Amino acid sequence: MLCSKMMTLACSTAAIAITCPASAQDAATPPTNATETSSASVGIEDIVVTAQRRSENLQDVPIAVTAFSADAISTARIQSFNDLATRIPGFSVNTFSQSRANPALRGGSTSLSAPGAEQAIGLFIDDVYFGGSGDFEIDLFDVERIEVLKGPQGTLFGRNTTGGLINVVTKTPTQELQAQGEVSMGNYDYFQVRGYLAGGLTDTLAGSIAFTSSDRDGTSFNSFTGNRVDTINRSSVRGKLAWAPSDSVNIVLGAGYSRVNETAPARDAIFTGVPIENQALLATGFVPDNDPRVVQMWTDGSYKSEQFTASLHVTKELGDANLLSITSYRNLRTQQSPISLAGVTTPVYDFGEPRELDAASQEFRYISDYSGPFNFVGGVFLYYANESRDLNGIAQWEENTVGGYFQSLTLCPLQNPDELVVSQACKDNYASLFEPSNFRVFQRTKTKSASAFLQGNYELTDSLKLTLGGRYTYDKKSATGFSSGDLEFFWHPADILVDDSESWGQFTYRAAVDWKVTDDILLYASRSTGFRSGAYELTQSDPALSAVPVGPEKVLSHEVGFKSRLFNDMIQFNVAVFHAKYTDLQFFVNTGDASVTTNAGQATVKGIEIDAVVAPVRGVTLSAAYSYQKGSSKGIPVQAEIADGTPPAGTIPHTIVLGADFEHEFANGSAVFLHGDFTHKSRYGLEFNDTPQFRSGVKSMINGSIGYRFANKMELRIWGKNLTNENVVTYGQNFWFAFYSLPTALANPDVITKTAQPRYADPRTFGATLSFKF
């Protein structure tokens, strides 16, 4: 009964939201470049960001940036990077599992997941670098601001990125007493509690503590085990101490801990093209159904993690400059059992990839504040990481499948290559090739990096400014590892042993000019470069390639932009046009009969990003954002089976995000508020290939909330996510070769393009949140 009533309220919220086209950015979700509104004033308030490593009004920064304030994050319930992805045009995240998430923006993406491989989109949380594929499965809580910088960031941030950067700033305590807390309940037995307490401890010392804990039953049902999967069970805590021993020195010490204990993701097996009786015996016991939230996996799987982070910020004011020292440490340990990739009742090709990471960084930064026309930011950044992945796999290639045939071609010397089925001689003499097998691929990569950077701006006139910046980065990576266990053609055709190292040096730069046409209009143009460091990937079909590192990937980007505030801050309209050219592409390719990591070819992505915010009257904010991206590639090695013209992963042709917020405050200080947002993303590739199973998109996703704030600052909010209940693919699998014989596949080509094992984003969720704040 409770869920039924909550469902009615959530759907009513969606209906109300639709009647108000567009949205407020602060009050909510949609990505607009400066957005804070208040029911007490008319117009769009400013957001201060640190995209150029100094505090600036977002509208004065000559970079395309999407920023979310603390209120916007809370209203939109942005609690993960998947939540963030639906609200930023052109941005996407594909999630293979909790240990592997790959974000993409402006053509910058990666499919490499080995230890030491770095993302095209960098993540910094309070200046602590998170750069691996297992680093994006974290809670966003206690957040003061999120800044998404678009395009390569090759000068001011510690690790270079090619597609963009996410800068998360959490709250720092002051002497003012602050307390807030909330309890949320929803469908799938969702329960979450969050809290924050901060204030002065002495005249010079302030402290804070923040925590979040979330628990939810799985959104999919595994009919084979009788359990729910895609569960949530995680908690995090973060504490800070801010000490001001003198008027010119500030010290902030932060530490955080998080834990996760969840099932594996659900994968829905889809078989089409030929009748079920013509499929391989491996799928015996599988009963076709049309419900994507009912799966038949042989195991529920498990994922556990513990993470500890610590940082120390010391700021010394020098009168006309600030000298900043940032020290950080991060420790991550994960456990993951083999997870079902094929979504059937027996193992086909499944693996888990537990990871361990110890990383430390030290940065010294000098930020000038001179009275003259020239100012700059410069410094050095040192980084060390020791990361390992212990991949453990289970594979079974039935002799009457295409997988069994490739198994025989690879490992059975008696196989006749002219035959389209496994030879009888291989069946008789190499029977173990077609039995369940276990294998292990262990890799450890140590990264040592040092860089020096300097970026300055010179005011040519009162309204015209020139910016020039550069960074030189030196990276050295050492890889050790091995593979062992039963042989199989896909990832373990032979035992390997690797002990190798390689180093790279790269100079990157940024040049920009901006013209403040009026106090409310900014024009700018920029040219910038970035790179992703090289990496080792031991999990390749050709063992000889495992000891050969993939070299750096480089990007050259041009951007022209326009930012404006009009009609007394009632309208904000921003446009950015970009062209990015990537060379020496890094990518991992699964061709169906092989796995290859390579470093070749080039890609071009160009597009336009438009966002607008309108605050016509007090308490009403409407927003709209649009992104167009067009990508192509060429020069990819033939063995990768990527045709010329294929766009890089995550290149979304069209994205539309609309939002609306309304708030009315009553005379007694209470208020009622509404929020709604709409997202559409046209079809795009999750990976760098043309495989249909790796296509995704969002037709029309609607989120909404309605709430009431009492005069005593208590607040009740009814909310709903994905109210249209879309099945959005966050990752695809294509194991057709594990279920059909080669003659069957040749006679029924549809089995290749239509057999799939997708992973979906959350379905419709809804609930209620009771909170307080003072």
Side-chain angles (χ1 to χ4, degrees):
M1 179 65 71
L2 174 62
C3 286
S4 175
K5 291 181 179 179
M6 292 172 64
M7 180 65 176
T8 301
L9 285 170
C11 291
S12 300
T13 302
I16 294 171
I18 295 172
T19 63
C20 298
S23 111
Q25 173 143 8
D26 169 52
T29 66
T32 44
N33 277 352
T35 60
E36 233 177 276
T37 61
S38 169
S39 61
S41 61
V42 179
I44 304 165
E45 295 186 3
D46 294 332
I47 282 187
V48 175
V49 298
T50 54
Q52 297 190 115
R53 292 306 201 186
R54 62 173 72 244
S55 298
E56 298 173 289
N57 185 326
L58 184 56
Q59 288 297 98
D60 294 333
V61 177
I63 302 173
V65 183
T66 295
F68 296 88
S69 68
D71 287 343
I73 294 164
S74 175
T75 300
R77 291 188 63 81
I78 298 175
Q79 299 185 354
S80 69
F81 286 98
N82 282 325
D83 292 335
L84 193 64
T86 62
R87 292 164 171 86
I88 300 177
F91 181 63
S92 67
V93 181
N94 79 51
T95 54
F96 174 86
S97 69
Q98 294 101 320
S99 64
R100 191 187 299 185
N102 298 315
L105 181 63
R106 288 192 176 184
S109 65
T110 183
S111 55
L112 274 62
S113 60
E118 297 177 23
Q119 297 291 308
I121 313 300
L123 169 63
F124 285 83
I125 301 178
D126 290 337
D127 291 307
V128 179
Y129 174 63
F130 294 69
S133 64
D135 288 341
F136 286 80
E137 190 66 28
I138 58 177
D139 288 329
L140 294 174
F141 75 107
D142 179 29
V143 175
E144 179 179 291
R145 185 176 68 254
I146 298 175
E147 305 169 6
V148 181
L149 286 64
K150 302 174 184 179
Q153 305 301 315
T155 55
L156 293 178
F157 286 84
R159 299 296 290 162
N160 276 270
T161 63
T162 54
L165 183 143
I166 302 171
N167 186 33
V168 180
V169 181
T170 65
K171 299 174 183 177
T172 297
T174 65
Q175 290 293 319
E176 180 184 1
L177 178 62
Q178 293 183 327
Q180 61 186 80
E182 64 178 43
V183 176
S184 300
M185 299 180 66
N187 59 337
Y188 298 105
D189 286 336
Y190 177 76
F191 182 77
Q192 181 185 74
V193 58
R194 292 186 167 202
Y196 177 76
L197 179 64
L201 302 176
T202 69
D203 291 343
T204 59
L205 182 66
S208 67
I209 186 75
F211 68 90
T212 178
S213 178
S214 305
D215 190 83
R216 188 192 68 188
D217 284 352
T219 55
S220 292
F221 177 69
N222 187 354
S223 62
F224 184 72
T225 64
N227 300 319
R228 303 202 70 86
V229 287
D230 262 332
T231 61
I232 291 178
N233 185 331
R234 54 182 58 191
S235 58
S236 303
V237 62
R238 176 165 38 238
K240 284 188 178 183
L241 291 173
W243 182 38
S246 69
D247 292 340
S248 62
V249 176
N250 287 280
I251 300 173
V252 178
L253 174 65
Y257 171 80
S258 64
R259 55 153 292 277
V260 177
N261 184 2
E262 299 171 348
T263 66
R267 280 183 168 81
D268 183 39
I270 300 171
F271 297 96
T272 58
V274 297
I276 188 75
E277 60 266 20
N278 292 338
Q279 295 168 16
L281 296 177
L282 186 59
T284 299
F286 182 88
V287 180
D289 69 80
N290 295 319
D291 190 341
R293 302 297 172 176
V294 174
V295 298
Q296 301 172 54
M297 305 190 305
W298 68 275
T299 176
D300 298 325
S302 66
Y303 175 82
K304 299 179 180 179
S305 75
E306 286 189 308
Q307 181 163 230
F308 173 78
T309 60
S311 64
L312 177 65
H313 292 62
V314 180
T315 304
K316 170 65 176 178
E317 297 180 11
L318 303 176
D320 57 0
N322 284 336
L323 182 61
L324 179 62
S325 169
I326 305 170
T327 308
S328 75
Y329 172 73
R330 190 161 72 94
N331 174 276
L332 172 68
R333 298 290 185 269
T334 72
Q335 302 176 43
Q336 186 179 48
S337 62
I339 59 177
S340 180
L341 301 184
V344 293
T345 56
T346 56
V348 173
Y349 188 80
D350 309 325
F351 62 79
E353 41 187 347
R355 297 174 182 267
E356 294 185 359
L357 170 73
D358 287 285
S361 68
Q362 175 62 55
E363 180 175 358
F364 295 102
R365 191 186 308 161
Y366 183 93
I367 308 167
S368 75
D369 188 23
Y370 303 148
S371 59
F374 177 70
N375 276 285
F376 69 93
V377 177
V380 295
F381 180 84
L382 306 174
Y383 178 73
Y384 172 80
N386 182 349
E387 183 180 6
S388 67
R389 177 178 67 176
D390 195 358
L391 188 151
N392 51 93
I394 300 174
Q396 182 173 6
W397 306 109
E398 290 279 348
E399 60 190 36
N400 59 335
T401 64
V402 176
Y405 174 66
F406 283 135
Q407 182 85 331
S408 184
L409 282 177
T410 304
L411 301 169
C412 177
L414 303 178
Q415 176 66 40
N416 182 349
D418 295 329
E419 296 183 34
L420 298 183
V421 296
V422 176
S423 68
Q424 190 60 46
C426 286
K427 295 179 184 178
D428 294 340
N429 295 282
Y430 291 86
S432 62
L433 293 177
F434 315 106
E435 297 172 353
S437 62
N438 294 270
F439 62 93
R440 178 187 179 195
V441 182
F442 176 83
Q443 178 179 344
R444 181 183 301 279
T445 300
K446 295 181 180 180
T447 300
K448 298 178 181 179
S449 177
S451 60
F453 60 94
L454 179 66
Q455 179 166 303
N457 56 71
Y458 186 82
E459 296 177 358
L460 301 173
T461 70
D462 290 342
S463 60
L464 190 65
K465 183 188 298 181
L466 175 67
T467 300
L468 294 174
R471 173 188 289 266
Y472 182 80
T473 303
Y474 174 81
D475 288 343
K476 181 177 181 180
K477 296 189 178 181
S478 303
T480 57
F482 63 87
S483 67
S484 62
D486 300 315
L487 300 181
E488 59 88 29
F489 79 95
F490 195 63
W491 262 11
H492 185 219
D495 288 347
I496 60 171
L497 182 64
V498 173
D499 187 353
D500 193 51
S501 64
E502 185 62 86
S503 59
W504 301 273
Q506 187 71 38
F507 176 75
T508 51
Y509 64 87
R510 172 178 171 79
V513 60
D514 63 90
W515 177 30
K516 197 76 171 176
V517 182
T518 70
D519 289 342
D520 300 319
I521 297 176
L522 175 73
L523 298 176
Y524 69 90
S526 67
R527 175 186 173 99
S528 55
T529 63
F531 87 105
R532 278 196 295 142
S533 184
Y536 287 85
E537 175 64 80
L538 269 60
T539 52
Q540 301 191 60
S541 295
D542 185 350
L545 296 176
S546 295
V548 179
V550 176
E553 176 182 293
K554 307 176 186 68
V555 62
L556 170 64
S557 175
H558 294 88
E559 180 177 321
V560 177
F562 168 86
K563 294 186 176 184
S564 65
R565 282 283 186 88
L566 307 171
F567 302 106
N568 295 321
D569 291 337
M570 294 178 64
I571 296 177
Q572 176 178 295
F573 184 71
N574 296 340
V575 180
V577 179
F578 68 90
H579 181 285
K581 183 177 181 179
Y582 296 82
T583 56
D584 298 325
L585 298 172
Q586 296 179 356
F587 54 91
F588 170 82
V589 177
N590 170 8
T591 63
D593 59 352
S595 55
V596 178
T597 301
T598 188
N599 183 215
Q602 65 182 47
T604 300
V605 177
K606 54 187 177 182
I608 184 171
E609 297 158 349
I610 304 172
D611 70 74
V613 183
V614 180
V617 296
R618 180 177 292 113
V620 175
T621 308
L622 312 175
S623 67
Y626 170 75
S627 169
Y628 168 76
Q629 296 182 135
K630 182 178 182 180
S632 63
S633 60
K634 63 180 181 179
I636 309 300
V638 175
Q639 65 267 29
E641 299 181 4
I642 297 176
D644 282 357
T646 302
T651 302
I652 308 172
H654 302 279
T655 309
I656 300 172
V657 180
L658 306 175
D661 283 271
F662 169 78
E663 180 172 338
H664 176 73
E665 187 171 320
F666 299 101
N668 65 352
S670 63
V672 62
F673 48 87
L674 304 172
H675 164 73
D677 61 78
F678 165 92
T679 300
H680 167 80
K681 292 183 179 181
S682 56
R683 299 284 290 173
Y684 67 97
L686 293 167
E687 292 282 8
F688 190 16
N689 56 42
D690 285 325
T691 305
Q693 290 87 343
F694 287 87
R695 306 288 290 177
S696 186
V698 179
K699 292 182 181 179
S700 55
M701 181 179 290
I702 296 175
N703 306 301
S705 64
I706 182 171
Y708 183 80
R709 184 180 304 114
F710 299 89
N712 62 2
K713 303 303 182 182
M714 292 285 289
E715 182 177 293
L716 176 64
R717 184 189 305 266
I718 308 296
W719 49 264
K721 289 184 176 183
N722 190 10
L723 293 171
T724 47
N725 202 29
E726 283 205 46
N727 296 316
V728 178
V729 177
T730 61
Y731 202 80
Q733 299 290 169
N734 181 20
F735 281 104
W736 66 272
F737 51 90
F739 302 102
Y740 302 99
S741 68
L742 187 55
T744 299
L746 292 174
N748 303 271
D750 279 354
V751 305
I752 298 175
T753 59
K754 294 183 178 179
T755 300
Q757 298 81 34
R759 181 188 182 191
Y760 298 106
D762 285 347
R764 179 191 298 117
T765 56
F766 53 88
T769 299
L770 181 64
S771 62
F772 72 90
K773 182 178 182 179
F774 67 84

